[in-house]
Amino acid sequence: MIEQQYLTCLKENGYKCTPHRILMLSYFYKHKDRLISAKTMMQYLSKETQNISYDTIYRNLRLFLDIDVLKSTNFNGKQLFGLKNKPAHQNMFICTECQTITPLSFQAMEIVENSLKDYLINNHKFEVYGICPNCSSHK
């Protein structure tokens, strides 16, 4: 299953809804509260389709980042990707055990902007890492 908004975003940006793109977006949608590596995506897609390469996966991941469908972060030396649930920038908590993401309810940028009133800020990234309640209860 995939939400139509992601397919619409592809079309509005002039890209086709190829079978590989649909499969990738569906996988991200099914796991929308998790961060996914290219390797995990490759394992999933190789079960679903015979004709897939890392090049195809990376090209589509880059495309999804460019059209603002995915967000990306680096964790333990790996680039991980997650579906953007809304177009606005999102600060998040990332579980170091299961890679579940939880949006933070406050805007860290407001605090930074108040501290740096004379500065022009072009971009930011605010992530908090730790162990989620579900993983900590299993320890």
Side-chain angles (χ1 to χ4, degrees):
M1 168 139 214
I2 184 169
E3 270 198 17
Q4 188 61 39
Q5 70 184 28
Y6 301 110
L7 298 177
T8 301
C9 187
L10 269 175
K11 292 175 188 174
E12 286 175 350
N13 283 280
Y15 296 99
K16 294 180 181 178
C17 294
T18 66
H20 288 146
R21 290 176 182 158
I22 293 168
L23 279 171
M24 289 177 73
L25 288 172
S26 294
Y27 187 81
F28 277 112
Y29 188 72
K30 287 177 196 169
H31 301 90
K32 60 186 164 198
D33 295 329
R34 295 201 184 274
L35 295 173
I36 309 296
S37 68
K39 181 180 177 181
T40 300
M41 184 59 70
M42 180 66 167
Q43 290 168 343
Y44 166 72
L45 287 176
S46 63
K47 293 175 187 172
E48 297 295 317
T49 180
Q50 296 177 7
N51 220 2
I52 191 77
S53 69
Y54 270 112
D55 287 341
T56 299
I57 290 170
Y58 278 109
R59 247 190 331 272
N60 283 309
L61 290 172
R62 180 65 44 207
L63 166 68
F64 296 152
L65 287 170
D66 289 347
I67 64 171
D68 215 25
V69 169
L70 293 183
K71 57 189 164 215
S72 170
T73 191
N74 288 310
F75 178 70
N76 287 341
K78 288 192 274 185
Q79 188 172 15
L80 300 174
F81 304 88
L83 194 62
K84 279 192 173 181
N85 295 327
K86 51 188 169 184
H89 181 81
Q90 192 173 37
N91 300 315
M92 61 186 129
F93 172 87
I94 301 171
C95 178
T96 56
E97 298 290 316
C98 67
Q99 280 77 52
T100 298
I101 53 176
T102 304
L104 300 175
S105 61
F106 66 93
Q107 293 299 318
M109 200 57 197
E110 291 174 13
I111 298 166
V112 172
E113 286 172 339
N114 288 335
S115 298
L116 300 170
K117 291 187 186 281
D118 295 332
Y119 292 79
L120 176 61
I121 299 168
N122 295 322
N123 198 355
H124 80 283
K125 184 177 188 177
F126 186 78
E127 299 170 344
V128 177
Y129 298 90
I131 300 174
C132 71
N134 189 41
C135 289
S136 64
S137 68
H138 289 69
K139 287 196 174 223

